Amino acid sequence: MPSRVGIAQIFVCGWILAAAFFSLPALAEAPGEIAPRVEAATLQPALAAELDRLGDGEEATVLLILREQADIAALRRRLDAAGASRAERHFRVVTTLRETARRAQAPLLQALSARLAQGALSGFTPRWISNLVVVRAPAATVRELARREDIARVELPPRARLIPPVGERRGGQPARGIGVTPGLRAIGADRVWRELGLTGRGILVANIDTGVDGKHPALASRWRGGHGHPASECWLDVLGGHPHSPVDEDGHGTHVMGTITGLGAATGDTIGVAWNALWIACNAIDQPVSSDFDDDIIAAFEWFADPDGDPLSVDDVPHVIQNSWGVTENFPGYGDCDDRWWAVIDHCEAAGAATTWSAGNYGPGYYTMASPADRITSPWNAFSVGAVDATSHGFPYPIAEFSSRGPSGCDGVTLKPEVVAPGVNVYSSIPQGRYAQSGWSGTSMAGPHVAGTIALMCEAAPDLTVDQLKEILFTTAIDLGRPGEDNTYGAGIIDAYAACLVALGPHGTVAGSVTNASNGGTPVPGAQIGPEEPPRSVPSAADGSYRILLPPGTYAFRVEHPSFAPDGASGVVVAEGGATALSFSLLDIGPPEIRGTTALEATDDTAGPYPVETVVTDCSDLAEVTLHYRVGGGTFQALPMAPQGGGSYAAGIPGQPLSSLVEYFVFAADVAANAASDPPGAPLDLYGFPVVPIVVHFADDVESGENGWTHAAVTPGFRDQWNRNSYDNHTPGGSWSWKCGAVQGWLWYADSLDAALASPPITIAENAELRFWHSVAAESSYAHPGWAYDGGLVEILPAGGEWQQIQ
């Protein structure tokens, strides 16, 4: 339970509820007695100053850090030497931490309960992830507690900040069907899926951020809480208000989680590195900075170390946690290399969860790393990530100007960051089912690429230690910038394929093809082929070929495709360094799927044809895609539909007489006579549209002079460059158009341009349409790719009215 909930209950309900909540055992120390000690605990200077400033009735939140601490570093060394499994590591670390806290905190908790009953403090929360207790109390009580011999240090809770994206975050949009994002291609994630069959299956990922929109279509199906597990071990809401399902009122955490494990399957938006992984999350980075803020950080790491409270289970523990937060030396009360988070981070990692850290958006100067990303107590801790631009540039990817640089402020020498990843205009999910790209730049966008890659590596080798995972990422990174590791790119951009190949260890290859037994052996693309255990698969390519790399062993293989009967093979032997040939011939049983049929409604009895488009999927051996139409309830006519690529097909219905009702449907069949239609009930259920006439009230192709058109500067002191020009004409067979720009040349136009082109008066009827063709060649923005500086408006002036903008 988050500390603020426990303390709030104490404020409202009094000491009786507090005593029940903490369930304290009977102890030898007398209630209210503070054990004497010879030497006082270390009182943090900032805390001492804070206590001096407190007035009557005011309190401070402090951390009482006990003298006895579990030696988790030594335990990790012993577990490393023994080659312990992840499950064993988790059990040993969590039970050691819990037992140390239970034993060492007992006298202190009894004394705090007594002080609570006396009104000498407002509340307290014990923590086991590091042996400490969070206390809210007046200055006198804090100083009294500092004299206990079991207290080593008394500190203010550390505070943290979100590392927000750089620049203005643009509003989201519906799914774009972007396919695989540029960032995923830049790190080779798509190659991992195709050749190694690693997608994050069976792996759990997490982030400490602003929350996650648990209903987003790219994330909803893989929230662990939707797979039969209690919400309490899948979502930690430290803010209160949404304890049973994940939410994100900022958008940052949803964007980050999308890059780790997002997949918009229905729309083709592959945004996540490990799109088959499950996820859990905590919203500890979604609140104003306050005195109790980082008890939430401590609570988050404690929860992630053992979400279900059972040391014997490890499937609830995330394999990796992405952190897009930190502080800098400019943050009040902090300097470089602040160490107040280190113990809880180390202990959480020892329990089985690797942590990745965004380096910060404080570049381009050196010594700009955020903390704790600047930590250097071991070669891989903390594992910090800078940002490169893989959206607007090809390899070698340039560093993002904002990306924080080393060296670490801890010693002024150690190189930082460890690696870089794509972090400029990253396309990913944001709340309310939307996606966003422009303005979403930062090391917060780079870090999740690394976290997702760790998830893929863990699928390949679940028992790799946290340090082994980080070392592989570091040593397989592709060097950028000057040769060797540096303070800009670190070791270089991560290479997900190379890292997963090292994680996989010794391996051999299984390769072959998948063909259609129903039509004499044409290729079957899109089949999934792989071993049944571990459950891993790769897709067949357009020519039906596939290739998968596996550790040595004997496997049972399975191949599946929606349009074909499944097949398989047993006793498939894979030898280290060897190549095994294995091909499949499938029996066609599934019909095509037709969706997205649309037509351009007919509005002209002379023009035609009227285009109809559709998409046909789940069928690799189509024999027929046809458009069937009839006019006025007559006989159906059939037209072949031509492939447009990507499963799209198109045909055109000829022009028809005015007042006709045109009805149509699409039909598709494969070589095995499996068929489908759209709409599904055709020919009884049909699409249709009426043919209605166009009455032309005004038309001008600009070929016969200005014809009453006028133009002038709108604003005094600005320029008018409208002219009748022979450039960029659109009239078929014509030569002229109106242009706002130079008389000679195509693209150039003047500065300080604010001009209007006005038509002559037009008499129009009710429900009339305005149609025109226009082309804009505007100056591009280098700061915001995809933006332009200039544009235009269309306005209409009704008789006796005022100008109104219509476009």
Side-chain angles (χ1 to χ4, degrees), residues 580-673:
T580 301
L582 182 63
S583 293
F584 298 91
S585 184
L586 305 183
L587 179 64
D588 192 332
I589 61 169
E593 177 185 329
I594 311 175
R595 58 182 172 83
T597 301
T598 58
L600 176 65
E601 292 188 3
T603 56
D604 191 335
D605 63 323
T606 60
Y610 308 132
V612 177
E613 297 181 349
T614 194
V615 177
V616 183
T617 58
D618 291 342
C619 191
S620 61
D621 54 347
L622 284 170
E624 174 186 353
V625 180
T626 49
L627 171 64
H628 298 252
Y629 75 95
R630 68 182 182 184
V631 181
T635 304
F636 279 106
Q637 306 293 317
L639 296 170
M641 302 192 74
Q644 308 296 304
S648 295
Y649 290 79
I653 299 173
Q656 301 298 328
L658 290 176
S659 303
S660 299
L661 175 64
V662 181
E663 297 173 295
Y664 65 95
F665 68 93
V666 173
F667 176 85
D670 64 16
V671 295

Side-chain angles (χ1 to χ4, degrees), residues 147-169:
R147 293 196 293 270
R148 289 182 59 93
E149 63 180 3
D150 53 355
I151 303 298
R153 301 191 312 279
V154 184
E155 297 179 347
L156 286 169
R159 299 177 294 162
R161 277 182 173 172
L162 177 71
I163 300 176
V166 175
E168 181 182 356
R169 286 190 261 177

Side-chain angles (χ1 to χ4, degrees), residues 221-294:
S221 65
R222 279 161 299 99
W223 177 48
R224 187 172 183 267
H227 292 256
H229 301 283
S232 60
E233 60 186 66
C234 303
W235 164 244
L236 181 62
D237 176 22
V238 299
L239 301 183
H242 300 278
H244 303 301
S245 59
V247 297
D248 179 11
E249 297 181 358
D250 177 273
H252 189 278
T254 302
H255 195 278
V256 167
M257 187 61 78
T259 302
I260 301 174
T261 183
L263 175 65
T267 59
D269 287 284
T270 306
I271 56 175
V273 180
W275 46 262
N276 235 342
L278 299 183
W279 61 269
I280 63 176
C282 172
N283 61 349
I285 313 296
D286 189 13
Q287 54 189 299
V289 174
S290 62
S291 60
D292 65 349
F293 182 88
D294 262 284

Side-chain angles (χ1 to χ4, degrees), residues 86 198 200-205 318-320 352 354 451-466 469 499-500 503 536:
R86 184 169 184 262
L198 301 172
R201 186 195 307 268
I203 302 303
L204 187 63
V205 300
H319 292 78
V320 62
T453 300
I454 288 179
L456 298 178
M457 297 166 66
C458 287
E459 184 185 359
D463 288 324
L464 284 175
T465 69
V466 166
L469 291 166
C500 288
R536 193 174 298 164

Side-chain angles (χ1 to χ4, degrees), residues 309-443:
D310 181 4
L312 289 171
S313 64
V314 73
D315 62 321
D316 58 308
V317 180
H319 292 78
V320 62
I321 306 168
Q322 164 60 22
N323 296 269
S324 301
W325 55 270
V327 297
T328 68
E329 60 186 14
N330 298 322
F331 197 57
Y334 287 82
D336 285 325
C337 211
D338 193 277
D339 65 355
R340 281 169 283 180
W341 287 289
W342 291 2
V344 295
I345 295 169
D346 287 350
H347 297 169
C348 186
E349 288 202 321
T355 61
T356 52
W357 298 86
S358 297
N361 300 337
Y362 311 112
Y366 293 101
Y367 296 97
T368 52
M369 295 290 297
S371 177
D374 62 351
R375 186 182 178 192
I376 56 170
T377 51
S378 76
W380 322 117
N381 200 344
F383 198 80
S384 56
V385 184
V388 294
D389 186 351
T391 302
S392 303
H393 298 270
F395 186 87
Y397 306 109
I399 196 70
E401 183 178 14
F402 57 76
S403 186
S404 287
R405 272 72 157 177
S408 169
C410 294
D411 63 357
V413 175
T414 301
L415 298 173
K416 281 281 184 174
E418 272 64 45
V419 294
V420 292
V424 176
N425 287 328
V426 173
Y427 180 86
S428 188
S429 48
I430 62 172
Q432 301 179 351
R434 297 176 299 159
Y435 295 81
Q437 179 175 18
S438 182
W440 287 86
S441 300
T443 57

